Amino acid sequence: MFRTALRNVLAHKARLLMTVLAVMLGVAFVSGTLVFTSTISDAFRASSQKGYDHVDVAIQPRSSDSRTGAPGPTPALPQKLLEKAAHVPGAASATGSVSGFTAIADKKGQLIGNGFSTRGGNYFAGKDGTDARYPMRSGAAPKSPHEFALDAHTADKAGYKVGDTVRISVDGPVRAQKLTGVFTTDDGTVAAGGSLALFDTPTAQKLFAAPGTFDEIDVRAAAGTSQAALKSAVEKVLPKDGAEATTGKKLAADQARNIAESMDGMKTALLAFAGIALFVGIFIIANTFTMLVAQRTKELALLRAVGASRRQVTRSVLLEAFLVGAVAAVTGLAAGIGIGAGLRALMSSTGATVPDGPLVIAPSTVLASLLVGIVVTVLAAWLPGRRAAKIPPVAAMNSVHATATTKSLVLRNTVGALFAGAGVAGVLVATGMSDGKAVMGGGAVLLLIGVFVLTPLLSRPLIALAAPVLRAFGISGTLARQNAVRNPRRTAATASALMIGLTLITGLTVIAGSVQKGIDKMATASLKADYVVSMATRTPLSPDVAKKLGSLDEVTAVSPLRNSPSRIGTDTQYLTGVNGKDFGKLTRLDFTKGALGDLRGGRTVVDDSTAEKQGWHPGSRLPVTFEDGKKGTLTVSGIYRGNQMIHGILLDNGTLAPHQKQITDMQVMVKTKDGATDATKDTLVKALGKNPAISVSDKKDVTDGIAQMVNLLLNMLYGLLAMAVIVAVLGVINTLAMSVFERSQEIGMLRAIGLDRRGIKRMVRLESLVISLFGGVLGIGLGVFFGWAAGELIGGSMATYELVLPWGRMGIFLALAALVGVLAALWPARRAARLHMLSAIKAE
C-alpha cells in the first residue's frame, strides 16, 4: 500500500501541484512570521543587553508615595543620593541620567523620527571628562546650554556635521543649538531607528526634570564585587520610601521579556492571517483529494477486491496526503526563511532600522512549519479517504459512483441550518450586550461554518439567477451554468475559499468607513475651536505655547488642556484643566444634566460614564487630594456626554495649576477671528517659529489624521488577507483543471458534435466566472452583516458612530471576484480547448 500511495503521488504530481502551492504559501507565511519575529526579538534583545553593559546596579524612583497616598508624579533622585551611591563599599563610580522627548529638525525643517524614538538625555562627564556610554566619533561633548551632541546615525541621515546649528524642540518652543559632537552608542532606541540628543547635565536637568535631580542613577561595581553584593550595599543608602535598586542583569532580563511581549502581538496577528490562508487551503486540499479519489474509484475497488481493507485504503490516501504535505512544508519553510529576511530588509528600507544580528531560525520554527504543513494536509484528506473506503467494491467496479444520498443531503442541510441559526442568534444577542465581543466572535464562527455547510444548497438557486445572462452566450453559457451546479459540493468548496477572504475584507471595510464617519461627526459636533495645537508626537507642550497663541490679534479664545492625577475618595482620577473663561467658546458639549456655566473656582463638569460609575450628579461635592498632596472640594455643576475627544473631569486651570509640580499642556484649542483659513494657519505656524515638532490642525486635519491611521491599518490588513485570496485563486484553478480532466470524454463529444475550441474556452471561463461571483456575493453579504454587527458594539462607546456601506469598494470587490474567475480559467480553458477530440472520447 505504501508503494501504491507513492506511485499515485508521482502519477498525479501535476494535479497535486496546486495543492502543494496552497499549503506551501500558508506554511511560508507561518515560518516567515516566526523567523522574522525571532530575528527582530533577538536583535533588540542583544542591543538592549549591550545598553546595560555599563550598569551593575540601577537606582530608580518608585512610582508613588505609598505613605502619604498622594497621587503625585514619579519623584526624582537628588544629587545627594548620587554622591552617596558613588561612595558605597564596592562601587567604582555612579552616573546620573535624565531623559525626555527631543525633536530634531532636518535641514528642510522636517521632524526626524517620530514618537518615543526621538529622545534627549544628558552627557555625564566622569573624572576623566568623558562618558563611557557615548564615545565621541568627532567633536567634543556639550558644555553649555546652547550646545548639544547627536548620535552618529541621525547625524549621517540628516547630513549634520560638527559646528552646524540645528533647530530642536523639547516641549514646544524652538531652540537653536550648536552641534559640538557626534557620538556612537549601543542605545536600543537609536539602533531601532530613533534619535538621541545629549546636553550637558545641568541643561538636561532643566529641560527634562528639575535642577540637581536625576531620573536614574547607575552604579558600576569595583573589581571583585558582584552585582548582588553591590545592590545590598546601595540599598542601605536609599531613602526609606521613594527609590529602589535593581541589578543590571535583572534590568536586561526585564527588557528582553518586554521585547518578547511587544513582539507577541505582531506575531499573533500575522499567525492569525497565516491560519486564515491555511484554512482556505483546506478547501483546495479536500477538493483535490475528493476528485482524485473519484477518478480512481475502480482502482480502489480493485484493491478492496484483492484483499485491501477499508482501513488500508484510507491509510493509502492519508499517506499520499502526508507526502504532499511534507513536500509543501519543506518548500514552505524555505520560502518562509526568505520572507523573514525580506521583511527585515523591508523594515530597514522604510527607515525603521533594526539592530544588526543574524537571521534566527529556531528549531521550534522548523518543527512548527513541518507539523502545520503535514497536519493540515492530512486532516483535509481524511474525509475523502474515508469516503473512498466506504464505496462497495462491486458498485465501484461497475462505475456506480457513490453519489450523495437524499438522507446525507438532508442531514447536511439540517446541520448547516442549525449552525447558521445559532450563529445569527449569537451575533444578534451580542449586539445588545455591553461587552459582547466573545459572544459575537463565537456567533461569527458558527455562522461561517453554517454557511459553508449550506453552500451546496445555496449554489443552485443563486447560480440559477445568472441563467438569463449566461443564455446570451449561447450553448457555452448554458453548459457553464449546468457544469457549475453539477457537483454542488465541489462548487461550494471552491467558492467558500473565496467567500472567507471577501467576508473579512468587506467586514473590515465597513467598520473602517463607519468609524471614520463617526469621527467626522464627533469633531463637528463637539468642537467649536478652529484649531487644535499639539506636539506632533503627542508629548506634553510647554505652557509658553498657549501664552504665545493667546497674545496674537487673530486669536479670540484659547484653552490649554492639562492632565493631573488626583485621588477622589478611594479612587485615583485624572483631572483635566481647561480655561474656564473660554472653554464654552471652543467646545459644544451635550449636557444631560446641569450646564457648563462659569467653570471657575471649585466648579467641575463630568462626563456621563464617569458620573454614572461614581454615582455623581449636579450638586455632588467631591473631596479631592491633588497632585501635591493638598486637599480640597470640587462641586459638580453639570454632566455631559463624553466622547473620544473630550471626556473626564473638567475644571479651571486656575484651580488646578497651583497643585501641579510641573505644568505642561497636552494640547491647546484655538478660536480665531477669520475661522480656519490657510492664511490664519500660516500665521499661527509662524508665531510658533515654524516648529517641526508642533502640529497645528483644523477639524479636517484632525479627522484626516485619524483616517490616515485607519486606512494604514486597513491597507495592512488588505495585504495580509491577499494571501488568502491568492490561495483561493489557486483553488479555482485546481478545481477547473481537474474538472476538465474529469470531463475529457464529455469535452471530446462536444467538439465532435460541433462546439469549436472558442466555445469550449468560453464554457470553462464562464463556469469559473459563475463560481467566483457566487463566492463573492456570499462573502460580501456576510461581510456587510458582520460589519453591521461589530458596529453595534462600537456604537456603544462611540455615540456618533454611523453605519456606512462602501458601495464603491464593494463593487470593486465583486469585480475582483470576477477577475479571479477570469484569470483562474485561463490555463484550464486553454487545456480543455487543446484536447484531441478522438483521444478525449476514448479516455477513461
Side-chain angles (χ1 to χ4, degrees), residues 284-303:
I284 301 176
I285 301 165
N287 250 1
T288 301
F289 278 93
T290 297
M291 296 172 75
L292 284 175
V293 165
Q295 292 167 12
R296 289 162 40 207
T297 302
K298 286 187 178 182
E299 174 191 326
L300 295 175
L302 184 60
L303 288 173

Side-chain angles (χ1 to χ4, degrees), residues 683-745:
T683 300
L684 299 182
V685 171
K686 288 177 181 178
L688 296 174
K690 294 185 177 180
N691 193 328
I694 294 182
S695 170
V696 179
S697 308
D698 58 21
K699 293 178 186 178
K700 187 176 184 303
D701 293 331
V702 171
T703 57
D704 285 350
I706 299 173
Q708 187 176 6
M709 291 188 289
V710 172
N711 288 331
L712 178 62
L713 178 62
L714 193 61
N715 290 334
M716 288 175 60
L717 296 175
Y718 282 169
L720 294 169
L721 288 171
M723 180 69 73
V725 175
I726 291 172
V727 174
V729 173
L730 293 176
V732 178
I733 295 173
N734 200 33
T735 298
L736 288 174
M738 298 188 73
S739 180
V740 166
F741 178 85
E742 193 177 68
R743 303 202 310 259
S744 294
Q745 278 188 334

